[in-house]
Amino acid sequence: GFEPAPGPVAAIGSAVSALLRRLVGDVIDTGDNDELRLRLRRAGVEPPTATTYRAGQMRWATIGAAASLIIAVVFGGRTVAGLMLATGVGFLGGTVVYKVALERRAKGRTAEMRLALSTVTQLLAVLTRANRGPVGTVRHLAGRSHGPLGDELRSGVGWSERGTPADRAFEQLAKDAPDPGVARLFRLLASATSSGGNIADTLRSQAEQLRIEHSEHLEQMATKKRSAMVFPSIVLMVPVLLLYVFAPVPSLLFGGGG
């Protein structure tokens, strides 16, 4: 059917949008498609493509520019140059907010993966010992798991079911993994899938090592927190001790009243 040509306003808007996307991608927040895909994968955003990243970035940049412009007008901005400056600052701020939000989300997911890793590895060891095979074991556990690590397992199973060789799927998960321990687990699964060996004992020993590392990490965090509390305690206690020690000094020097 006949489709009317876009009007001049729509054409200008499209050109400006394309220009802003190029400005953001080439100057403000550079990164190739693989890097942008990895940022979204680690943050758990679907679909993890460069187009998704840039669309989200432009959305936040537009929100930042609009908010900054409104604030400038409310507080008396009247000059064109001042309003343009405020809009530009808001635009840049929006792109930064989007990137920082993704990084924080990725850090949160990584922390959740670390917490679940030893338990998942132990369950994989138990299921593998039942001769399910690496792929069957992961498929069984992925259907019953929750959280970011469960999401990664389901991604690997999904890629395998859509035609990607299982060892390549696990190897890709290892490359995308934000934590060395998680990457080590996926590489072990990739190796077992390609060689066909039983990795139950290796998984069990890896789970034990992960538990030890987790315990050591908790002890280090507790030590750091205790150390961090020493300085505030000193700051609060020293003035009180000084008052207690030197309170009698005026009486001793000048004599007590009465």
Side-chain angles (χ1 to χ4, degrees):
F2 173 75
E3 294 184 2
V9 175
I12 292 172
S14 178
V16 170
S17 178
L19 178 62
L20 290 175
R21 280 198 299 269
R22 173 166 290 188
L23 173 66
V24 170
D26 294 344
V27 179
I28 299 173
D29 185 11
T30 59
D32 58 22
N33 290 350
D34 289 338
E35 182 181 348
L36 300 183
R37 182 194 67 82
L38 187 58
R39 290 182 195 175
L40 294 181
R41 281 271 295 123
R42 291 181 173 178
V45 177
E46 295 290 341
T49 63
T51 301
T52 302
Y53 185 92
R54 293 303 183 196
Q57 193 175 51
M58 286 299 299
R59 184 165 57 251
W60 276 94
T62 303
I63 293 171
S68 184
L69 179 60
I70 291 170
I71 292 171
V73 171
V74 168
F75 283 93
R78 292 292 180 267
T79 65
V80 174
L83 294 177
M84 289 181 65
L85 178 61
T87 304
V89 170
F91 185 89
L92 292 174
T95 63
V96 173
V97 167
Y98 178 72
K99 185 177 180 180
V100 170
L102 283 181
E103 290 173 350
R104 290 186 62 182
R105 184 170 174 177
K107 286 181 180 178
R109 294 182 84 251
T110 301
E112 289 185 48
M113 285 186 189
R114 290 196 189 107
L115 287 174
L117 184 57
S118 61
T119 302
V120 168
T121 305
Q122 184 65 45
L123 290 172
L124 287 171
V126 172
L127 292 171
T128 303
R129 188 170 288 280
N131 295 321
R132 288 179 176 270
V135 178
T137 296
V138 172
R139 182 180 292 110
H140 179 82
L141 187 59
R144 293 160 176 79
S145 298
H146 302 283
L149 191 52
D151 293 340
E152 291 298 288
L153 293 174
R154 281 186 287 276
S155 293
V157 171
W159 295 341
S160 176
E161 290 176 347
R162 288 192 293 271
T164 302
D167 58 335
R168 286 179 54 192
F170 290 133
E171 191 60 41
Q172 186 60 54
L173 288 176
K175 290 178 181 178
D176 292 349
D179 179 74
V182 176
R184 189 163 60 245
L185 171 62
F186 288 136
R187 287 199 178 93
L188 181 60
L189 291 171
S191 174
T193 302
S194 60
S195 65
N198 192 311
I199 55 171
D201 292 336
T202 306
L203 285 169
R204 190 173 65 253
S205 107
Q206 187 169 329
E208 182 64 28
Q209 182 62 34
L210 287 168
R211 275 195 296 271
I212 294 172
E213 291 176 0
H214 183 60
S215 298
E216 291 176 349
H217 175 70
L218 290 178
E219 290 178 3
Q220 291 173 0
M221 292 295 293
T223 302
K224 288 180 179 179
K225 286 184 178 180
R226 285 195 297 269
S227 300
M229 291 179 66
V230 170
F231 181 73
S233 300
I234 292 174
V235 170
L236 292 173
M237 290 175 63
V238 167
V240 176
L241 289 173
L242 290 175
L243 286 173
Y244 180 78
V245 170
F246 291 105
V249 171
S251 300
L252 294 174
L253 292 176
F254 303 108

